[in-house]
Amino acid sequence: MLIDSHAHIDSPRYTEDRAAMLRRTKDAGVGAVLAIGIGESPAEMQQAFDICREFNGQSDIPRLFASAGVYPHNTGEIDERVLSKLDSLLAEPEVIACGEIGLDYYHEGASHDVQRIGLVKQLEIAAARKRPILIHCRPKDGRTDAWDHLFMTLDTYWRHTGLRGIMHCFGGEWEQARRSLDLGFLISFAGNITYPKAQPLRDVAAKVPLDSLLVETDAPWLAPMPNRGKRNEPAWVLQTAEVLASVSGRTADEIAAVTTQNFSNLFQLGNL
Ligand SMILES: [Zn+2]
């Protein structure tokens, strides 16, 4: 069994075939999916949770969990109402994580200061609800400032909680991987690790200890080879697991088993 630790299954790109897409996911051997609750704005933060409630309990569909959070470029929309919505979602048993939250200096959008303030406010709520966090971090190419600001923020506002998290769609270098591991975070690799030019990322992945690895799709984006460019879906997490297996000298079954165990341990889910 495999777990897709990060998929935007609330995306309107699945409106026509969400149930069929989830059945394909289960057929492919993916037993659980963490549905990311950021929507296209905070007004849609509950959509992932709604999908969990709609589909959980159906035997031909993977077990669904949800997160809730405000994406870095939506942090300008944070107000008391948004924060209290986040807080009540994180109180739900299916909403096991706060995210994806973090810093994105790659795309134009919310200023760096607004992003940092929004991140800190969400860290405080996640800490009070004892929920691990899902981090999105992306500097401009060739820079590390977003990572440096992220680690500074986590050192100040997160480390002391003893809670952990996931570096989602990891795209940093070994230095950022090492600092993430030092914080007790898991490192999740997405379909971009399968792309021809991603050898530096595969080299980083090969060094991450097995007990800190996760796999994800980040669907509907980042479809792995050979489906690059198409709409991605959680069933395709297998291709990413296979590449991770080959770089770490393991079988795909071993990667599936260890990443499932890591996910279960992080969220204290017992036997999935
Ligand atoms: Zn995402």
Side-chain angles (χ1 to χ4, degrees):
M1 161 173 157
L2 267 166
I3 294 182
D4 182 354
S5 73
H6 191 113
H8 299 263
I9 57 172
D10 65 332
S11 162
R13 294 174 72 185
Y14 303 115
T15 305
E16 302 296 318
D17 67 339
R18 188 170 289 110
M21 179 274 288
L22 290 171
R23 285 195 294 271
R24 283 197 294 277
T25 302
K26 178 83 181 238
D27 287 345
V30 178
V33 176
L34 177 48
I36 303 307
I38 55 169
E40 284 172 7
S41 79
E44 300 179 348
M45 200 197 287
Q46 76 294 341
Q47 287 181 163
F49 174 53
D50 290 345
I51 289 171
C52 281
R53 283 197 298 194
E54 181 182 350
F55 288 101
N56 268 340
Q58 299 185 23
S59 59
D60 55 351
I61 277 181
R63 184 148 171 212
L64 301 179
F65 299 97
S67 73
V70 180
Y71 187 71
H73 285 302
N74 296 124
T75 47
E77 297 169 58
I78 289 181
D79 58 16
E80 284 310 313
R81 204 174 45 84
V82 167
L83 293 174
S84 91
K85 180 176 177 178
L86 174 62
D87 182 57
S88 21
L89 280 166
L90 293 182
E92 299 287 348
E94 296 96 330
V95 185
I96 60 175
C98 178
E100 57 185 280
I101 60 176
L103 299 174
D104 185 307
Y105 296 175
Y106 182 82
H107 299 97
E108 290 302 314
S111 76
H112 299 180
D113 281 346
V114 166
Q115 291 188 41
R116 284 201 292 263
I117 293 164
L119 172 60
V120 169
K121 289 198 163 127
Q122 295 184 87
L123 292 178
E124 286 166 351
I125 292 172
R129 289 287 176 197
K130 297 199 166 24
R131 291 290 192 257
I133 51 176
L134 314 175
I135 291 290
H136 169 108
C137 186
R138 188 161 182 197
K140 284 212 183 294
D141 289 341
R143 304 188 57 142
T144 61
D145 48 357
W147 284 110
D148 297 335
H149 295 162
L150 174 75
F151 288 120
M152 231 166 3
T153 306
L154 294 180
D155 274 337
T156 309
Y157 296 95
W158 192 252
R159 190 185 281 275
H160 71 90
T161 67
L163 294 162
R164 298 161 67 206
I166 299 173
M167 293 302 176
H168 128 76
C169 190
F170 186 79
E173 296 171 3
W174 174 247
E175 170 64 9
Q176 287 83 38
R178 190 193 60 71
R179 293 175 77 178
S180 304
L181 296 169
D182 178 58
L183 277 164
F185 275 49
L186 301 183
I187 298 186
S188 183
F189 290 97
N192 53 329
I193 199 176
T194 69
Y195 299 166
K197 288 184 181 160
Q199 193 54 45
L201 188 56
R202 286 190 284 275
D203 293 341
V204 172
K207 289 168 73 176
V208 175
L210 279 188
D211 62 2
S212 300
L213 279 176
L214 289 175
V215 282
E216 65 172 78
T217 55
D218 204 15
W221 299 288
L222 289 178
M225 303 294 280
N227 290 308
R228 185 175 188 176
K230 296 188 189 156
R231 185 192 73 170
N232 197 2
E233 58 181 57
W236 295 350
V237 75
L238 182 62
Q239 280 75 44
T240 296
E242 281 170 347
V243 167
L244 208 49
S246 76
V247 302
S248 57
R250 307 280 165 160
T251 66
D253 282 349
E254 285 174 293
I255 293 296
V258 76
T259 53
T260 296
Q261 189 63 50
N262 295 342
F263 186 89
S264 171
N265 289 348
L266 176 65
F267 296 112
Q268 301 176 315
L269 300 170
N271 276 335
L272 279 166

